[in-house]
Amino acid sequence: MAEVDPSEVALLRLVAQRLAGPGEPDAAAAVRWLLAAQAQDLRGALLSTALRSPADGASSEAPDDPAAARPASGPAGARLAGARLAGARLAGARLDGARSAPDLGGVRAALASGALVRSWPLRSTLHLVAAEDLGWLLALSTERQLRGAASRRAGLGIDDALVERARGVVVDALAGGRRLAREEVLALWEEAGVLGDGPDGGTGGGTSSGTGRVPQRGYHLLWTLSQTGTTCWGPPLPDRAGAGTSDEQALVLLDEWVPAPRRLEREEALGELARRYLASHGPASLADLVRWSGLTVREARAGLALARPHLEALVCDGTEMLLDPATPERLARCRDDARRTLLLPGFDEMVLGYADRSATVPAEHAAAVVPGGNGVFLGTVVTGGRAVATWRRTGRRTGPPVVATPFDGGDDGLAPAVAAEVARLGAALPA
């Protein structure tokens, strides 16, 4: 089993995640390859997805057949045995390092068409997923997530009867392909007495806001209905001027928005999740898989046992990691591209996708990326696969639009590379 150091792991992850070398054919394919991409900050998720799409990639590579990443029919083990990991075809790829501005429009179009959806399939956190994958991912996580939220539900005065009342209001309002903004749904619930803390608002508890709403009850009900497969976030809504789309999405009924979801038995789903996560995020460990997926260790081990024949293993600092067998060859062909400077949004999978992030974010600088430990990740400047600074928008009309703060307090020649990347990203940069 090959041994590598953390710096090599970081570069391998960059190409596995399609941030270096050949990208995926389009936004939906990029998310499908990742399986799920954290997306509580939608504008950041749009950029993260666009960075992995061909408009950004330095490749003329013909795309793999998306169906090749899906298991074949038959028992779970046989299905996995027939799977071919996406990205194995490298012949003809152009890896000259030329990169254009990422296309957020392509990601928004995938949301508008329903090819991509946004919901809470993992860890009770918003993610982008390919539409056909949402149902089976929810099936893996819903029971555990609902159990974990039981005390929170009680504190907000939510019982099963209230959830069903809220569900009935939403289904009646959205049936037939209708779409509503979040505030429109909350207004309907308020009118129906779902959000208040009186006798018609559930079991009580919580403190009413000035509008008569129990704070956070509406958000939790939105989460519950999406977690249980009734709703999801659908197409982007028009902006206020009506001249384009906003970064707010409409709520839609899941069975209408995704009429043909994939159905997987639980064992098959565990194997598929493990295989696709390790192929797209590897090298990664069992602990990384557990943290990213929210599975129990036992479930993750079961999935890994099915996925292992289609992965390669290496060792880093005494820990076994698994990856797509095509990833080392990809890195060999685009090592210079992997070493370039990147500006990644704060919740990018390159940082968020692992339990142990030290290959990319040096442990001594982890607090700088999540100041205060409040779960809000700053954008990172990555050079040679390693985060060397954080960055943020200045909000100024004049002067540099972005300020980078190196971890070591110095510049070390970083400014020109950051300026070049800012110029390339342009309007795609999150606010």
Side-chain angles (χ1 to χ4, degrees):
M1 192 179 299
E3 293 193 23
V4 299
D5 60 31
S7 62
E8 188 73 359
V9 167
L11 293 175
L12 287 164
R13 287 176 176 176
L14 273 174
V15 297
Q17 290 210 19
R18 305 304 192 248
L19 286 167
E24 290 297 305
D26 52 44
V31 172
R32 185 176 293 111
W33 171 247
L34 290 175
L35 181 55
Q38 198 155 327
Q40 65 267 59
D41 173 15
L42 181 57
R43 185 62 184 269
L46 296 179
L47 177 56
S48 286
T49 303
L51 288 171
R52 293 163 166 87
S53 303
D56 181 68
S59 172
S60 58
E61 179 183 10
D64 286 317
D65 176 5
R70 298 186 184 178
S73 59
R79 288 182 178 126
L80 284 164
R84 178 171 59 86
L85 294 173
R89 282 208 308 260
L90 288 173
R94 178 172 59 83
L95 302 173
D96 57 10
R99 287 179 174 262
S100 59
D103 176 22
L104 299 190
V107 192
R108 289 195 176 98
L111 289 169
S113 71
L116 290 180
V117 293
R118 186 166 169 246
S119 191
W120 289 269
L122 300 171
R123 309 189 310 276
S124 295
T125 301
L126 280 163
H127 285 74
L128 289 179
V129 298
E132 70 272 12
D133 289 325
L134 179 55
W136 67 266
L137 285 171
L138 285 173
L140 278 178
S141 67
T142 292
E143 183 179 351
R144 183 181 302 107
Q145 298 305 328
L146 291 178
R147 285 201 309 267
S151 61
R152 179 61 172 156
R153 282 161 54 102
L156 293 173
I158 297 173
D159 58 15
D160 290 345
L162 183 65
V163 170
E164 293 312 310
R165 285 179 57 203
R167 195 188 314 274
V169 171
V170 165
V171 170
D172 287 346
L174 295 179
R178 293 191 292 272
R179 308 165 183 182
L180 292 174
R182 171 176 170 166
E183 281 304 318
E184 291 175 311
V185 173
L186 295 179
L188 289 174
W189 280 342
E190 189 166 24
E191 182 180 353
V194 170
L195 299 186
D197 61 346
D200 291 331
T203 58
T207 302
S208 292
S209 68
T211 63
R213 299 176 181 179
V214 176
Q216 296 300 308
R217 182 185 283 180
Y219 178 87
H220 192 86
L221 287 169
L222 287 169
W223 172 82
T224 301
L225 295 191
S226 291
Q227 186 72 63
T228 52
T230 298
T231 57
C232 68
W233 294 110
L237 291 166
D239 61 23
R240 292 183 179 180
T245 57
S246 70
D247 287 336
E248 183 182 3
Q249 292 173 269
L251 199 70
V252 294
L253 293 180
L254 178 58
D255 61 357
E256 292 184 350
W257 194 243
V258 185
R262 295 181 65 201
R263 307 289 185 188
L264 303 181
E265 296 298 327
R266 189 169 184 84
E267 180 186 12
E268 180 185 12
L270 290 172
E272 172 130 346
L273 186 152
R275 178 179 60 82
R276 289 172 64 181
Y277 166 75
L278 292 164
S280 62
H281 290 70
S285 67
L286 174 65
D288 294 324
L289 172 60
V290 169
R291 189 267 167 200
W292 184 85
S293 65
L295 297 174
T296 65
V297 173
R298 182 177 180 179
E299 289 171 329
R301 288 188 186 279
L304 183 57
L306 293 170
R308 186 179 287 275
H310 311 285
L311 303 166
E312 287 186 357
L314 53 79
V315 174
C316 179
D317 291 341
T319 298
E320 182 190 55
M321 295 184 172
L322 293 108
L323 69 162
D324 182 345
T327 298
E329 183 181 356
R330 281 181 172 268
L331 178 58
R333 297 183 59 148
C334 64
R335 188 171 288 270
D336 287 346
D337 188 41
R339 286 174 170 156
R340 71 188 183 91
T341 296
L342 293 165
L343 265 65
L344 300 181
F347 293 93
D348 192 89
E349 286 291 308
M350 187 65 186
V351 175
L352 268 290
Y354 308 93
D356 180 358
R357 303 172 179 130
S358 59
T360 297
V361 180
E364 64 271 24
H365 299 305
V369 177
V370 194
N374 59 2
V376 177
F377 285 69
L378 301 182
T380 51
V381 181
V382 173
T383 298
R386 301 275 280 177
V388 296
T390 59
W391 66 269
R392 61 177 176 82
R393 292 291 294 264
T394 63
R396 301 171 188 160
R397 293 186 178 181
T398 60
V402 164
V403 60
T405 305
F407 293 149
D408 59 11
D411 187 285
D412 294 331
L414 189 63
V418 169
E421 186 69 352
V422 168
R424 184 180 74 85
L425 298 180
L429 282 169

